[in-house]
Amino acid sequence: EDQVTQSPEALRLQEGESSSLNCSYTVSGLRGLFWYRQDPGKGPEFLFTLYSAGEEKEKERLKATLTKKESFLHITAPKPEDSATYLCAVRTNYGGSQGNLIFGKGTKLSVKP
Amino acid sequence: GAVVSQHPSRVICKSGTSVKIECRSLDFQATTMFWYRQFPKQSLMLMATSNEGSKATYEQGVEKDKFLINHASLTLSTLTVTSAHPEDSSFYICSARDRLNTEAFFGQGTRLTVV
């Protein structure tokens, strides 16, 4: 069964304290791994797509990496405005399932000033 | 990124009534739209997938007669919760993808409260 597991469930950081969020997955055939940011009461906001092991992408203080079993979202010198829930999702095929995403439960990040 | 607009953002309805939620792609043609439901501290659960002009495909356990989905045009999909009950109270989110892009862009979500 395709599965996505995120850890930790919650993470509290001081402003400027760098850390990483983990997304481990077991899928029959990865067609893309996605990171989203979700603020309370809002829909997910797209951050990154990764397709193959070794791939990396950066956006401001965020950097996403991918291996054959997991992805990391590194947050460098976070600021309070980075506080949100970060969701990881995988797409396993483009065919019969219409390419829908399988989501993890998310990591709730809180950054204190 | 592409913009997906979902309306309304919040709705309160009486038990037994029906509620319609709209999802529009504003700057691209959404050949596929997805409807999700999210419970507190839980991941997004896919309810159904719809392609423009065809019937929606519902996930196991989702009642298609209760959650009516219409994807009549390339820019609009609607989810109607019929005969709503308090247990239908939840956060509903749509997402849309065009034929070329692999990313799915999400609407702002709709908080439904059935009283």
Side-chain angles (χ1 to χ4, degrees):
Chain A
E1 182 183 350
D2 297 333
Q3 199 166 9
V4 178
T5 304
Q6 290 188 247
S7 62
E9 288 187 17
L11 180 62
R12 292 188 175 188
L13 300 174
Q14 286 296 127
E15 185 172 2
E17 179 186 2
S18 302
S19 188
S20 296
L21 282 56
N22 178 264
C23 171
S24 62
Y25 60 91
T26 53
V27 296
S28 53
L30 182 69
R31 296 294 187 220
L33 185 141
F34 301 79
W35 282 98
Y36 290 87
R37 167 187 172 136
Q38 186 176 26
D39 292 299
K42 304 290 184 183
E45 175 189 345
F46 171 76
L47 294 174
F48 303 108
T49 309
L50 302 167
Y51 292 103
S52 57
E55 190 175 358
E56 298 182 353
K57 288 192 177 176
E58 287 188 68
K59 180 181 180 181
E60 297 180 353
R61 294 178 292 281
L62 300 176
K63 178 181 178 180
T65 62
L66 181 65
T67 73
K68 290 185 177 180
K69 294 183 178 180
E70 58 191 349
S71 175
F72 291 94
L73 184 65
H74 307 277
I75 302 178
T76 302
K79 298 182 178 181
E81 53 261 42
D82 295 323
S83 298
T85 295
Y86 290 85
L87 300 172
C88 170
V90 298
R91 175 172 290 133
T92 58
N93 64 68
Y94 292 127
S97 67
Q98 309 289 341
N100 61 283
L101 300 176
I102 301 170
F103 280 86
K105 293 185 177 182
T107 294
K108 184 176 182 179
L109 173 65
S110 299
V111 182
K112 302 299 182 184
Chain B
V3 179
V4 176
S5 177
Q6 187 174 339
H7 178 80
S9 57
R10 291 176 181 270
V11 59
I12 300 174
C13 71
K14 292 184 177 180
S15 186
T17 62
S18 296
V19 173
K20 180 183 284 189
I21 302 170
E22 290 188 351
C23 180
R24 293 181 184 273
S25 57
L26 299 186
D27 51 3
F28 67 101
Q29 293 184 329
T31 52
T32 306
M33 284 191 171
F34 306 90
W35 287 94
Y36 294 85
R37 184 172 179 175
Q38 187 177 32
F39 294 101
K41 298 184 179 181
Q42 297 295 316
S43 63
L44 280 71
M45 300 300 297
L46 180 68
M47 298 174 66
T49 303
S50 71
N51 288 307
E52 183 265 341
S54 61
K55 290 184 178 181
T57 302
Y58 290 80
E59 295 300 301
Q60 191 173 11
V62 178
E63 299 176 59
K64 61 180 180 180
D65 294 330
K66 181 169 187 59
F67 298 100
L68 300 178
I69 291 173
N70 184 284
H71 190 169
S73 77
L74 284 172
T75 59
L76 174 64
S77 177
T78 60
L79 168 67
T80 301
V81 183
T82 62
S83 187
H85 292 282
E87 55 265 31
D88 298 324
S89 299
S90 189
F91 192 57
Y92 293 87
I93 309 173
C94 72
S95 75
R97 182 161 64 91
D98 68 21
R99 189 173 289 110
L100 299 177
N101 286 322
T102 55
E103 293 90 5
F105 297 93
F106 286 80
Q108 305 94 318
T110 297
R111 171 69 61 190
L112 171 64
T113 304
V114 184
V115 298

